[in-house]
Amino acid sequence: GNSVTQMEGPVTLSEEAFLTINCTYTATGYPSLFWYVQYPGEGLQLLLKATKADDKGSNKGFEATYRKETTSFHLEKGSVQVSDSAVYFCALGTNAGKSTFGDGTTLTVKP
Amino acid sequence: DAGVIQSPRHEVTEMGQEVTLRCKPISGHDYLFWYRQTMMRGLELLIYFNNNVPIDDSGMPEDRFSAKMPNASFSTLKIQPSEPRDSAVYFCASSLAGNDSPLHFGNGTRLTVT
């Protein structure tokens, strides 16, 4: 079956530090890959996505590249801000409609 | 677009009472999902619908939980009778068909059962 494994948290960084949150997946077929972000008191919202191998998704300074050879989709940002503090979820989607989510990684950025 | 709308935002009830959570998906979306989120178990898929038809309810914890989607613009999740261990945030999400379509989540209903 499909599965997503995320780097365990929580992650605490100082403002302007470099961020990497690791994500690897197992899937049959050709899934799309997503990163979602959840701010306190809110639902998950799409941060970025990639639909095929070697695609790079990007948004708000965050980037992730779909690596089929390593089955990975690591999230990176060059300089984090306090406002980036949130929970980040890696997920994969298939044509069957159902998405598979990782366990989430809590990021805290300190000024 | 108003996004996925859930009501109520907060619900506090006593053990044994019936609870009904409501969801209005984004117009035109093909799929609707109900999730539950807790600190202990994280994000769990309870049930999902395609074109108003339930596809997979294997995540529904017990017979006390039921979900309906009478039309394309409305779904309910009912718990009867409620128990303290049902306390969680319940999210509804909707999406278009296709593996490249992201889920759009509502802001959730925080349920507290005392």
Side-chain angles (χ1 to χ4, degrees), chain A residues 98, chain B residues 32-34 44-50 53-68 76-77:
Chain A
K98 192 167 69 170
Chain B
L32 184 139
F33 306 83
W34 282 101
E44 302 173 278
L45 176 64
L46 301 178
I47 185 172
Y48 76 100
F49 296 82
N50 180 24
V53 176
I55 302 301
D56 183 353
D57 66 353
S58 60
M60 297 285 262
E62 304 169 29
D63 291 346
R64 298 184 296 106
F65 286 69
S66 62
K68 293 182 179 179
T76 59
L77 178 67

Side-chain angles (χ1 to χ4, degrees), chain A residues 30 32 36 38 41 49 95, chain B residues 9 33 37 45 99-100 103:
Chain A
Y30 304 95
S32 291
Y36 291 84
Q38 184 180 27
K49 71 177 187 181
N95 283 326
Chain B
R9 282 303 309 273
F33 306 83
Q37 187 177 41
L45 176 64
N99 73 346
D100 62 341
L103 272 61

Side-chain angles (χ1 to χ4, degrees), chain B residues 16-108:
Chain B
Q17 296 298 306
E18 178 179 297
V19 174
T20 299
L21 312 182
R22 297 172 176 80
C23 175
K24 176 179 170 57
I26 292 174
S27 176
H29 278 193
D30 306 284
Y31 288 89
L32 184 139
F33 306 83
W34 282 101
Y35 285 88
R36 177 171 70 177
Q37 187 177 41
T38 61
M39 290 292 292
M40 291 298 295
R41 294 187 299 271
L43 191 66
E44 302 173 278
L45 176 64
L46 301 178
I47 185 172
Y48 76 100
F49 296 82
N50 180 24
N51 294 326
N52 314 339
V53 176
I55 302 301
D56 183 353
D57 66 353
S58 60
M60 297 285 262
E62 304 169 29
D63 291 346
R64 298 184 296 106
F65 286 69
S66 62
K68 293 182 179 179
M69 192 166 185
N71 57 62
S73 59
F74 185 65
S75 178
T76 59
L77 178 67
K78 186 176 294 186
I79 308 173
Q80 166 63 19
S82 58
E83 296 183 3
R85 60 191 167 124
D86 301 331
S87 297
V89 181
Y90 290 81
F91 288 104
C92 176
S94 68
S95 74
L96 294 167
N99 73 346
D100 62 341
S101 296
L103 272 61
H104 297 257
F105 284 78
N107 280 330

Side-chain angles (χ1 to χ4, degrees), chain B residues 1-23:
Chain B
D1 190 339
V4 175
I5 299 173
Q6 291 187 248
S7 64
R9 282 303 309 273
H10 302 274
E11 177 79 44
V12 180
T13 191
E14 292 183 347
M15 183 174 65
Q17 296 298 306
E18 178 179 297
V19 174
T20 299
L21 312 182
R22 297 172 176 80
C23 175

